[in-house]
């Protein structure tokens, strides 16, 4: 099979993506469909037959959280059930093909190399267990980041079971070793301000994004990082920030903390979808404030302020809980 298969998928994607831009969930369902088509084409292209054992091809990052915009890079990995040379060769070959295939259909290579073509993200279940334990024991900035990335993993082809079992390891480890959840909190404690002391939106003053605000760092990450931190603490399988909030709010203490936050985050997703010009993946992080109405600017300010408040309160809650043995 030639790259013609990927060209056909890319053409179909470009022709139909606008139909799914009514809301973020519909858009992400569309991305899932494209990725599943790419997986099928990759399996055919490597010409090694169907997968030889149970496996999970997962996506992570914004895709794992069902929060991709129109333009997105790729973040994914593979877990296969049985460790032997035959399976290693099959899935590593498939992983490389998946990375190339996704790039061909319009998802650029991940600059951080979070891809199935990277041996770090393509392993047997037992090897994944060893790797997660190693990351948790090391507790370095990099390994904590990897654990956060893995915790956003969502199965897209294959079985959910192995991902859930691996996430259980992280949940149990942080219950037994409270230093881990503190390290998670410290890893995400810094945020980028989006609103100045006079209530003005802090925009880029120069460069190609002059007049725009980076909403990834000022708006999205305070919500995403806070809710992920709580999801790890509570051992949730859900990956989307909104779904995680629904589950977390079953806890009365957390319900008070999260009151109104889901509505703010959903408004942020919709604001990005309606207002951002996404020519490249980098562009997808910036929102041009000159394209916003006064009402939208006021809403954005409120979203940013509430996200910063949530972030600060979550960090304090987690650290206080550890100090009190909760």
């Amino acid at each position: 099979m030639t790259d013609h298969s990927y060209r056909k998928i890319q053409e179909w994607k470009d022709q139909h993506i606008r139909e799914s831009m009514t809301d973020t969930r519909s858009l992400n369902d569309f991305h899932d469909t494209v990725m599943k088509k790419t997986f099928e084409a990759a399996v055919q292209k490597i010409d090694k037959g169907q997968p030889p054992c149970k496996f999970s091809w997962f996506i992570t990052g914004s895709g794992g959280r069902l929060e991709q915009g129109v333009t997105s890079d790729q973040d994914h990995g593979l877990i296969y059930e049985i460790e032997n040379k035959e399976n290693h060769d099959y899935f590593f070959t498939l992983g490389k093909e998946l990375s190339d295939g996704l790039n061909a259909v319009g998802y650029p290579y991940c600059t951080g190399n979070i891809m199935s073509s990277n041996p770090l993200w393509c392993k047997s279940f037992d090897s994944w267990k060893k790797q997660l334990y190693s990351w948790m024991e090391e507790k370095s900035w990099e390994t904590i980041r990897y654990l956060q990335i893995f915790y956003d993993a969502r199965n897209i082809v294959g079985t959910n079971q192995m991902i859930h079992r691996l996430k259980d390891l992280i949940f149990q480890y942080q219950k037994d070793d409270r230093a881990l959840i503190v390290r998670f909190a410290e890893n995400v404690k810094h945020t980028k301000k989006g609103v100045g002391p006079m209530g003005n939106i802090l925009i880029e003053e120069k460069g190609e994004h002059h007049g725009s605000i980076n909403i990834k760092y000022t708006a999205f990450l305070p919500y995403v990082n806070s809710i992920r931190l709580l999801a790890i603490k509570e051992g949730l399988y859900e990956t989307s920030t909104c779904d995680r909030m629904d589950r977390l709010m079953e806890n009365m203490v957390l319900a008070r903390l999260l009151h109104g936050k889901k509505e703010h985050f959903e408004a942020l997703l919709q604001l990005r979808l309606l207002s951002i010009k996404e020519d490249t993946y980098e562009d997808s992080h910036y929102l041009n404030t000159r394209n916003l109405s006064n009402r939208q600017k006021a809403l954005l300010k409120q979203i940013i302020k509430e996200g910063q408040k949530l972030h600060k309160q979550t960090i304090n809650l987690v650290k206080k809980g550890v100090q009190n043995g909760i």
Side-chain angles (χ1 to χ4, degrees), residues 187-236:
N187 189 269
V188 297
K189 68 180 179 181
H190 297 295
T191 61
K192 183 175 181 179
K193 290 184 178 180
V195 178
M198 303 301 292
N200 57 306
I201 296 176
L202 299 176
I203 59 174
E204 300 291 318
E205 296 292 345
K206 55 185 178 180
E208 70 176 294
H209 297 294
H210 171 69
S212 298
I213 179 173
N214 187 321
I215 60 169
K216 175 180 179 179
Y217 292 103
T218 60
F220 273 98
L221 287 186
Y223 288 93
V224 168
N225 289 339
S226 299
I227 300 305
R228 185 199 299 110
L229 181 61
L230 294 174
I232 293 171
K233 183 176 181 295
E234 299 300 317
L236 304 186

Side-chain angles (χ1 to χ4, degrees), residues 248-286:
L248 291 167
M249 284 190 286
E250 294 172 9
N251 178 308
M252 290 183 62
V253 173
L254 297 181
R256 290 193 292 271
L257 172 69
L258 300 177
H259 178 71
K261 300 304 188 292
K262 180 181 177 183
E263 290 76 13
H264 284 122
F265 190 72
E266 288 177 328
L268 178 61
L269 289 169
Q270 194 66 15
L271 193 60
R272 178 186 67 176
L273 197 59
L274 294 174
S275 305
I276 285 190
K277 178 177 178 288
E278 300 190 69
D279 290 335
T280 68
Y281 176 60
E282 183 64 21
D283 289 336
S284 71
H285 300 154
Y286 289 88

